Amino acid sequence: MELFPAVLALTLLSISPGLDTLLTVRNAARGGVTDGVVTSFGICSGLFVHALLSALGISVLLMQSAMLFGALKLVGAAYLIWLGWGSLRQALRGRGQQRAADSVQAVARFRVSHWRCVREGLLSNLLNPKTIIFYMAFLPQFIDPAGAVLPQALLLAGLHFVIAMSWQSLLAVLTCRMRAWVRLPVLRTLCHAVTGLVMVALGVRLALARI
């Protein structure tokens, strides 16, 4: 297995803007660097599940079953819309809390448990059927059929984990370096509103798309 082409492809995939980036930045802006990093950990942990399923051929069964794959697509779309609605609700609440938003107590109300961040990241990754398609198309390009498939698949997932977590953690740090801006009530409300609308739009697009 040639690692350099795989690392290059995984790096380009990781830095491409998408839902993973949006979710990491949103949670970092909401709760700090740690929230962004643990969200990324949840997202990237799902890569091992996709690699395992692909190696075992379960993803092939999903892709060949229109009913199962369609159900997975709708569940993923519903989850994205639910996340987006959560951000929109925070934006609506923020409109009535602009005076208190500068206090420590007001900022603390936006903090959530680390487990919730991990769960949001993991579910957003596992419920995305496009990730299944990517791994089904990606893994065969770099796996040596003469060797054991599962160890190679997990190695690629491990490389993807390191690259994606490094990139998303950097984004979390950069986001929090701008906390002085993010804490401004109007900008924070705008941030929640924009990310909420984008997530809802992604969910609707996923539900309607023919994958």
Side-chain angles (χ1 to χ4, degrees):
M1 179 173 60
E2 295 185 9
L3 290 181
F4 179 75
V7 169
L8 180 59
L10 290 170
T11 300
L12 293 175
L13 173 68
S14 299
I15 66 177
S16 299
L19 176 62
D20 294 349
T21 300
L22 184 66
L23 190 60
T24 300
V25 169
R26 187 201 73 166
N27 286 2
R30 180 182 64 189
V33 174
T34 303
D35 280 16
V37 171
V38 296
T39 299
S40 176
F41 178 80
I43 292 170
C44 297
S45 295
L47 301 175
F48 292 100
V49 178
H50 287 298
L52 178 62
L53 294 178
S54 298
L56 296 178
I58 297 177
S59 295
V60 175
L61 296 178
L62 284 174
M63 293 179 69
Q64 290 179 346
S65 172
M67 182 177 295
L68 286 175
F69 197 74
L72 178 62
K73 183 183 73 169
L74 291 177
V75 170
Y79 183 67
L80 284 181
I81 293 172
W82 181 77
L83 284 177
W85 173 240
S87 286
L88 290 175
R89 284 191 304 170
Q90 286 193 352
L92 292 174
R93 286 199 301 266
R95 293 181 61 185
Q97 297 176 345
Q98 291 192 3
R99 275 192 169 181
D102 288 328
S103 68
V104 175
Q105 292 82 4
V107 172
R109 280 200 291 269
F110 287 94
R111 287 193 172 277
V112 297
S113 70
H114 291 161
W115 166 241
R116 175 177 167 181
C117 294
V118 173
R119 186 177 69 242
E120 287 178 348
L122 180 62
L123 288 177
S124 70
N125 184 274
L126 293 181
L127 296 177
N128 188 352
K130 291 186 177 180
T131 307
I132 294 178
I133 293 178
F134 171 79
Y135 263 75
M136 284 302 301
F138 178 81
L139 289 182
Q141 306 294 325
F142 302 100
I143 286 181
D144 181 4
V149 174
L150 181 57
Q152 294 181 76
L154 293 178
L155 174 60
L156 289 173
L159 291 172
H160 196 179
F161 181 95
V162 172
I163 295 170
M165 264 219 71
S166 299
W167 171 248
Q168 291 163 12
S169 297
L170 175 61
L171 290 178
V173 172
L174 292 177
T175 299
C176 292
R177 287 292 180 91
M178 301 172 64
R179 284 297 285 272
W181 292 93
V182 174
R183 285 180 180 176
L184 292 176
V186 174
L187 291 181
R188 187 173 59 228
T189 298
L190 179 62
C191 178
H192 284 306
V194 171
T195 55
L197 289 173
V198 171
M199 285 183 176
V200 170
L202 286 173
V204 172
R205 181 182 177 184
L206 178 61
L208 299 178
R210 293 183 178 180
I211 303 178

